[in-house]
Amino acid sequence: KVDSPDLRDPESRYHGFNKAGFINPGVHTIWINVDSPESRDGSSRTNNTEIQAINKVLELLKSSEGFKEYMEHWDGIKSESKRKEEKEIGVISCYGKQVRKIRESVRPRARQLGLQIKMNTVDKFQGMERNIVIVSTVRSNKLDRGNDRIEVNRDAGFAKSPERLNVALSRARRLLIVVGNKDFFSGIRDKEGNYLYRNAIREIERSGKVIDFKQLSK
C-alpha cells in the first residue's frame, strides 16, 4: 500500500524515479552530505555550497527516468491550485537569508528546467506538505569568517531545539531530500547529552540513501 505505484492512492509514497547513483523507486529519503562552511549574514546564516547542491538535485530529478511521467500524471487534475500543489517541489530552510539566496539562485535554474518550486522558511511552511521536499539545513562544523578565514564552529543554533527541524523533515509525502553536514548533525546533543538527530540519520542510512555532494557534482 505504501509503495503502491498508483499515484492516485493518497497513502502511497511512490514516485517512480530512477537514476543510477542518485535514486530508485524504493528510496524515499536522501541525505546529500555537504561539509562546507556556513557563513554569518547578520543574525542569520547561509551556506552557498548547499545552494549549489539543491540546483544539482533539481537537475538530477528532472533527468531521472520516470520523472516526466510522474509530472504528466498530475495534468489530469481539474483544479488548478491542486494540480500546482502536486507538481511543486518544496525547498525550505530554517534561515530566512538562506531562503533569499535560494530564491536568487535556485528559482532561475528551476525555471530553466521547467520545474515549479515552493520556497519558504520552515516556520512559514508549517501546515503545508509537498510530494517532494528539499531541506537546506545550513549549519556546519566550520564557519567562514571571510578573507579566507575558516574556523571551527560548535554552535548548533536552532538545531539544539529539534522541533523546527522535525517539522521540516515531516513535510514530504513521497520524497525527502536533506542537504547538510551529516557529521555535524550526528553529533548534536541536547542539554541532557542525548543525540538529537543520530537515530534519524541512521534510519536514512539504513532505508534511504546518503550521497556525498562532492561525488554527485563530479
PDB file of all heavy atoms in Angstrom, residues 82-105:
ATOM      1  N   LYS A  82      -4.818  22.645  -6.984  1.00  0.00           N
ATOM      2  CA  LYS A  82      -4.444  21.295  -6.566  1.00  0.00           C
ATOM      3  C   LYS A  82      -3.379  20.727  -7.511  1.00  0.00           C
ATOM      4  O   LYS A  82      -2.413  20.089  -7.060  1.00  0.00           O
ATOM      5  CB  LYS A  82      -5.686  20.397  -6.572  1.00  0.00           C
ATOM      6  CG  LYS A  82      -5.422  18.944  -6.193  1.00  0.00           C
ATOM      7  CD  LYS A  82      -5.008  18.804  -4.748  1.00  0.00           C
ATOM      8  CE  LYS A  82      -4.909  17.333  -4.369  1.00  0.00           C
ATOM      9  NZ  LYS A  82      -4.215  17.155  -3.067  1.00  0.00           N
ATOM     10  N   ARG A  83      -3.535  20.968  -8.799  1.00  0.00           N
ATOM     11  CA  ARG A  83      -2.562  20.498  -9.786  1.00  0.00           C
ATOM     12  C   ARG A  83      -1.187  21.121  -9.523  1.00  0.00           C
ATOM     13  O   ARG A  83      -0.160  20.447  -9.540  1.00  0.00           O
ATOM     14  CB  ARG A  83      -3.049  20.859 -11.192  1.00  0.00           C
ATOM     15  CG  ARG A  83      -2.201  20.303 -12.335  1.00  0.00           C
ATOM     16  CD  ARG A  83      -2.904  20.456 -13.666  1.00  0.00           C
ATOM     17  NE  ARG A  83      -3.097  21.831 -14.060  1.00  0.00           N
ATOM     18  CZ  ARG A  83      -4.279  22.439 -14.185  1.00  0.00           C
ATOM     19  NH1 ARG A  83      -5.394  21.785 -13.945  1.00  0.00           N
ATOM     20  NH2 ARG A  83      -4.350  23.699 -14.571  1.00  0.00           N
ATOM     21  N   LYS A  84      -1.201  22.416  -9.226  1.00  0.00           N
ATOM     22  CA  LYS A  84       0.046  23.121  -8.931  1.00  0.00           C
ATOM     23  C   LYS A  84       0.707  22.562  -7.677  1.00  0.00           C
ATOM     24  O   LYS A  84       1.922  22.349  -7.640  1.00  0.00           O
ATOM     25  CB  LYS A  84      -0.242  24.616  -8.756  1.00  0.00           C
ATOM     26  CG  LYS A  84       0.990  25.462  -8.520  1.00  0.00           C
ATOM     27  CD  LYS A  84       0.613  26.926  -8.322  1.00  0.00           C
ATOM     28  CE  LYS A  84       1.845  27.767  -8.041  1.00  0.00           C
ATOM     29  NZ  LYS A  84       1.504  29.161  -7.707  1.00  0.00           N
ATOM     30  N   GLU A  85      -0.090  22.319  -6.654  1.00  0.00           N
ATOM     31  CA  GLU A  85       0.446  21.791  -5.398  1.00  0.00           C
ATOM     32  C   GLU A  85       1.108  20.429  -5.590  1.00  0.00           C
ATOM     33  O   GLU A  85       2.172  20.156  -5.034  1.00  0.00           O
ATOM     34  CB  GLU A  85      -0.670  21.689  -4.356  1.00  0.00           C
ATOM     35  CG  GLU A  85      -0.189  21.192  -3.009  1.00  0.00           C
ATOM     36  CD  GLU A  85      -1.314  21.067  -2.007  1.00  0.00           C
ATOM     37  OE1 GLU A  85      -2.137  22.003  -1.903  1.00  0.00           O
ATOM     38  OE2 GLU A  85      -1.383  20.027  -1.330  1.00  0.00           O
ATOM     39  N   GLU A  86       0.478  19.560  -6.385  1.00  0.00           N
ATOM     40  CA  GLU A  86       1.033  18.225  -6.607  1.00  0.00           C
ATOM     41  C   GLU A  86       2.352  18.287  -7.384  1.00  0.00           C
ATOM     42  O   GLU A  86       3.233  17.460  -7.195  1.00  0.00           O
ATOM     43  CB  GLU A  86       0.028  17.348  -7.366  1.00  0.00           C
ATOM     44  CG  GLU A  86      -1.271  17.072  -6.625  1.00  0.00           C
ATOM     45  CD  GLU A  86      -1.112  16.080  -5.474  1.00  0.00           C
ATOM     46  OE1 GLU A  86       0.021  15.701  -5.139  1.00  0.00           O
ATOM     47  OE2 GLU A  86      -2.145  15.698  -4.891  1.00  0.00           O
ATOM     48  N   LYS A  87       2.491  19.279  -8.258  1.00  0.00           N
ATOM     49  CA  LYS A  87       3.687  19.378  -9.100  1.00  0.00           C
ATOM     50  C   LYS A  87       4.834  20.132  -8.433  1.00  0.00           C
ATOM     51  O   LYS A  87       5.993  19.935  -8.789  1.00  0.00           O
ATOM     52  CB  LYS A  87       3.340  20.092 -10.422  1.00  0.00           C
ATOM     53  CG  LYS A  87       2.535  19.244 -11.385  1.00  0.00           C
ATOM     54  CD  LYS A  87       2.437  19.958 -12.731  1.00  0.00           C
ATOM     55  CE  LYS A  87       2.010  19.001 -13.820  1.00  0.00           C
ATOM     56  NZ  LYS A  87       2.315  19.501 -15.153  1.00  0.00           N
ATOM     57  N   GLU A  88       4.509  21.009  -7.492  1.00  0.00           N
ATOM     58  CA  GLU A  88       5.536  21.846  -6.884  1.00  0.00           C
ATOM     59  C   GLU A  88       6.518  21.030  -6.051  1.00  0.00           C
ATOM     60  O   GLU A  88       6.134  20.097  -5.344  1.00  0.00           O
ATOM     61  CB  GLU A  88       4.906  22.909  -5.978  1.00  0.00           C
ATOM     62  CG  GLU A  88       4.444  24.139  -6.706  1.00  0.00           C
ATOM     63  CD  GLU A  88       3.836  25.160  -5.765  1.00  0.00           C
ATOM     64  OE1 GLU A  88       3.400  24.790  -4.662  1.00  0.00           O
ATOM     65  OE2 GLU A  88       3.769  26.332  -6.159  1.00  0.00           O
ATOM     66  N   ILE A  89       7.779  21.432  -6.119  1.00  0.00           N
ATOM     67  CA  ILE A  89       8.816  20.870  -5.255  1.00  0.00           C
ATOM     68  C   ILE A  89       9.074  21.882  -4.144  1.00  0.00           C
ATOM     69  O   ILE A  89       9.378  23.047  -4.405  1.00  0.00           O
ATOM     70  CB  ILE A  89      10.113  20.607  -6.049  1.00  0.00           C
ATOM     71  CG1 ILE A  89       9.855  19.553  -7.140  1.00  0.00           C
ATOM     72  CG2 ILE A  89      11.252  20.175  -5.120  1.00  0.00           C
ATOM     73  CD1 ILE A  89      11.006  19.380  -8.114  1.00  0.00           C
ATOM     74  N   GLY A  90       8.915  21.453  -2.904  1.00  0.00           N
ATOM     75  CA  GLY A  90       9.159  22.335  -1.773  1.00  0.00           C
ATOM     76  C   GLY A  90      10.656  22.472  -1.509  1.00  0.00           C
ATOM     77  O   GLY A  90      11.375  21.477  -1.509  1.00  0.00           O
ATOM     78  N   VAL A  91      11.119  23.698  -1.314  1.00  0.00           N
ATOM     79  CA  VAL A  91      12.521  23.957  -0.959  1.00  0.00           C
ATOM     80  C   VAL A  91      12.499  24.864   0.266  1.00  0.00           C
ATOM     81  O   VAL A  91      12.051  26.005   0.190  1.00  0.00           O
ATOM     82  CB  VAL A  91      13.304  24.623  -2.110  1.00  0.00           C
ATOM     83  CG1 VAL A  91      14.766  24.790  -1.721  1.00  0.00           C
ATOM     84  CG2 VAL A  91      13.193  23.808  -3.394  1.00  0.00           C
ATOM     85  N   ILE A  92      12.956  24.339   1.416  1.00  0.00           N
ATOM     86  CA  ILE A  92      12.788  25.070   2.666  1.00  0.00           C
ATOM     87  C   ILE A  92      14.073  25.077   3.498  1.00  0.00           C
ATOM     88  O   ILE A  92      14.938  24.220   3.341  1.00  0.00           O
ATOM     89  CB  ILE A  92      11.630  24.480   3.506  1.00  0.00           C
ATOM     90  CG1 ILE A  92      11.870  22.995   3.837  1.00  0.00           C
ATOM     91  CG2 ILE A  92      10.304  24.669   2.797  1.00  0.00           C
ATOM     92  CD1 ILE A  92      10.768  22.375   4.705  1.00  0.00           C
ATOM     93  N   SER A  93      14.164  26.077   4.369  1.00  0.00           N
ATOM     94  CA  SER A  93      15.291  26.191   5.289  1.00  0.00           C
ATOM     95  C   SER A  93      14.814  26.930   6.535  1.00  0.00           C
ATOM     96  O   SER A  93      13.844  27.696   6.474  1.00  0.00           O
ATOM     97  CB  SER A  93      16.449  26.956   4.647  1.00  0.00           C
ATOM     98  OG  SER A  93      17.506  27.154   5.583  1.00  0.00           O
ATOM     99  N   CYS A  94      15.502  26.709   7.648  1.00  0.00           N
ATOM    100  CA  CYS A  94      15.157  27.420   8.882  1.00  0.00           C
ATOM    101  C   CYS A  94      15.642  28.868   8.863  1.00  0.00           C
ATOM    102  O   CYS A  94      15.265  29.649   9.734  1.00  0.00           O
ATOM    103  CB  CYS A  94      15.745  26.698  10.093  1.00  0.00           C
ATOM    104  SG  CYS A  94      14.874  25.165  10.492  1.00  0.00           S
ATOM    105  N   TYR A  95      16.465  29.216   7.900  1.00  0.00           N
ATOM    106  CA  TYR A  95      17.071  30.553   7.871  1.00  0.00           C
ATOM    107  C   TYR A  95      16.542  31.390   6.725  1.00  0.00           C
ATOM    108  O   TYR A  95      16.649  31.009   5.561  1.00  0.00           O
ATOM    109  CB  TYR A  95      18.595  30.424   7.780  1.00  0.00           C
ATOM    110  CG  TYR A  95      19.191  29.878   9.050  1.00  0.00           C
ATOM    111  CD1 TYR A  95      19.451  28.520   9.176  1.00  0.00           C
ATOM    112  CD2 TYR A  95      19.445  30.707  10.139  1.00  0.00           C
ATOM    113  CE1 TYR A  95      19.973  27.998  10.353  1.00  0.00           C
ATOM    114  CE2 TYR A  95      19.966  30.205  11.319  1.00  0.00           C
ATOM    115  CZ  TYR A  95      20.231  28.855  11.421  1.00  0.00           C
ATOM    116  OH  TYR A  95      20.731  28.347  12.592  1.00  0.00           O
ATOM    117  N   GLY A  96      15.999  32.573   7.083  1.00  0.00           N
ATOM    118  CA  GLY A  96      15.420  33.457   6.080  1.00  0.00           C
ATOM    119  C   GLY A  96      16.421  33.917   5.031  1.00  0.00           C
ATOM    120  O   GLY A  96      16.083  34.011   3.842  1.00  0.00           O
ATOM    121  N   LYS A  97      17.650  34.212   5.440  1.00  0.00           N
ATOM    122  CA  LYS A  97      18.662  34.661   4.478  1.00  0.00           C
ATOM    123  C   LYS A  97      19.040  33.535   3.509  1.00  0.00           C
ATOM    124  O   LYS A  97      19.343  33.785   2.346  1.00  0.00           O
ATOM    125  CB  LYS A  97      19.914  35.157   5.215  1.00  0.00           C
ATOM    126  CG  LYS A  97      19.685  36.442   6.017  1.00  0.00           C
ATOM    127  CD  LYS A  97      19.599  37.659   5.125  1.00  0.00           C
ATOM    128  CE  LYS A  97      19.329  38.940   5.888  1.00  0.00           C
ATOM    129  NZ  LYS A  97      20.412  39.382   6.749  1.00  0.00           N
ATOM    130  N   GLN A  98      19.012  32.294   3.984  1.00  0.00           N
ATOM    131  CA  GLN A  98      19.277  31.166   3.089  1.00  0.00           C
ATOM    132  C   GLN A  98      18.147  31.032   2.069  1.00  0.00           C
ATOM    133  O   GLN A  98      18.401  30.798   0.882  1.00  0.00           O
ATOM    134  CB  GLN A  98      19.437  29.864   3.887  1.00  0.00           C
ATOM    135  CG  GLN A  98      19.768  28.634   3.052  1.00  0.00           C
ATOM    136  CD  GLN A  98      21.214  28.565   2.559  1.00  0.00           C
ATOM    137  OE1 GLN A  98      21.942  29.536   2.629  1.00  0.00           O
ATOM    138  NE2 GLN A  98      21.609  27.403   2.064  1.00  0.00           N
ATOM    139  N   VAL A  99      16.916  31.205   2.513  1.00  0.00           N
ATOM    140  CA  VAL A  99      15.774  31.154   1.594  1.00  0.00           C
ATOM    141  C   VAL A  99      15.905  32.247   0.540  1.00  0.00           C
ATOM    142  O   VAL A  99      15.627  32.031  -0.650  1.00  0.00           O
ATOM    143  CB  VAL A  99      14.436  31.275   2.358  1.00  0.00           C
ATOM    144  CG1 VAL A  99      13.260  31.411   1.395  1.00  0.00           C
ATOM    145  CG2 VAL A  99      14.225  30.058   3.256  1.00  0.00           C
ATOM    146  N   ARG A 100      16.341  33.434   0.951  1.00  0.00           N
ATOM    147  CA  ARG A 100      16.520  34.536  -0.007  1.00  0.00           C
ATOM    148  C   ARG A 100      17.580  34.181  -1.051  1.00  0.00           C
ATOM    149  O   ARG A 100      17.396  34.421  -2.243  1.00  0.00           O
ATOM    150  CB  ARG A 100      16.915  35.811   0.730  1.00  0.00           C
ATOM    151  CG  ARG A 100      16.807  37.060  -0.152  1.00  0.00           C
ATOM    152  CD  ARG A 100      17.027  38.315   0.649  1.00  0.00           C
ATOM    153  NE  ARG A 100      18.436  38.490   0.992  1.00  0.00           N
ATOM    154  CZ  ARG A 100      18.897  39.479   1.758  1.00  0.00           C
ATOM    155  NH1 ARG A 100      18.061  40.347   2.287  1.00  0.00           N
ATOM    156  NH2 ARG A 100      20.180  39.580   2.012  1.00  0.00           N
ATOM    157  N   LYS A 101      18.683  33.592  -0.599  1.00  0.00           N
ATOM    158  CA  LYS A 101      19.731  33.179  -1.539  1.00  0.00           C
ATOM    159  C   LYS A 101      19.238  32.060  -2.458  1.00  0.00           C
ATOM    160  O   LYS A 101      19.600  32.016  -3.635  1.00  0.00           O
ATOM    161  CB  LYS A 101      20.975  32.713  -0.768  1.00  0.00           C
ATOM    162  CG  LYS A 101      21.772  33.855  -0.177  1.00  0.00           C
ATOM    163  CD  LYS A 101      23.173  33.393   0.187  1.00  0.00           C
ATOM    164  CE  LYS A 101      24.105  34.583   0.280  1.00  0.00           C
ATOM    165  NZ  LYS A 101      25.502  34.216   0.134  1.00  0.00           N
ATOM    166  N   ILE A 102      18.422  31.158  -1.907  1.00  0.00           N
ATOM    167  CA  ILE A 102      17.842  30.087  -2.722  1.00  0.00           C
ATOM    168  C   ILE A 102      16.954  30.698  -3.812  1.00  0.00           C
ATOM    169  O   ILE A 102      16.995  30.282  -4.970  1.00  0.00           O
ATOM    170  CB  ILE A 102      17.043  29.108  -1.831  1.00  0.00           C
ATOM    171  CG1 ILE A 102      18.009  28.247  -0.989  1.00  0.00           C
ATOM    172  CG2 ILE A 102      16.146  28.198  -2.679  1.00  0.00           C
ATOM    173  CD1 ILE A 102      17.331  27.459   0.120  1.00  0.00           C
ATOM    174  N   ARG A 103      16.173  31.712  -3.440  1.00  0.00           N
ATOM    175  CA  ARG A 103      15.318  32.393  -4.429  1.00  0.00           C
ATOM    176  C   ARG A 103      16.164  32.979  -5.559  1.00  0.00           C
ATOM    177  O   ARG A 103      15.800  32.901  -6.725  1.00  0.00           O
ATOM    178  CB  ARG A 103      14.511  33.502  -3.762  1.00  0.00           C
ATOM    179  CG  ARG A 103      13.302  33.008  -3.006  1.00  0.00           C
ATOM    180  CD  ARG A 103      12.250  34.087  -2.833  1.00  0.00           C
ATOM    181  NE  ARG A 103      11.066  33.502  -2.215  1.00  0.00           N
ATOM    182  CZ  ARG A 103      10.796  33.572  -0.912  1.00  0.00           C
ATOM    183  NH1 ARG A 103      11.619  34.199  -0.107  1.00  0.00           N
ATOM    184  NH2 ARG A 103       9.711  33.002  -0.426  1.00  0.00           N
ATOM    185  N   GLU A 104      17.288  33.583  -5.193  1.00  0.00           N
ATOM    186  CA  GLU A 104      18.134  34.252  -6.188  1.00  0.00           C
ATOM    187  C   GLU A 104      18.803  33.264  -7.139  1.00  0.00           C
ATOM    188  O   GLU A 104      18.974  33.554  -8.324  1.00  0.00           O
ATOM    189  CB  GLU A 104      19.215  35.075  -5.473  1.00  0.00           C
ATOM    190  CG  GLU A 104      18.658  36.289  -4.747  1.00  0.00           C
ATOM    191  CD  GLU A 104      19.683  36.916  -3.805  1.00  0.00           C
ATOM    192  OE1 GLU A 104      20.808  36.368  -3.693  1.00  0.00           O
ATOM    193  OE2 GLU A 104      19.353  37.941  -3.175  1.00  0.00           O
ATOM    194  N   SER A 105      19.174  32.081  -6.634  1.00  0.00           N
ATOM    195  CA  SER A 105      19.949  31.131  -7.433  1.00  0.00           C
ATOM    196  C   SER A 105      19.126  29.956  -7.961  1.00  0.00           C
ATOM    197  O   SER A 105      19.251  29.566  -9.118  1.00  0.00           O
ATOM    198  CB  SER A 105      21.118  30.592  -6.595  1.00  0.00           C
ATOM    199  OG  SER A 105      21.806  29.584  -7.289  1.00  0.00           O
TER     200      SER A 105
END
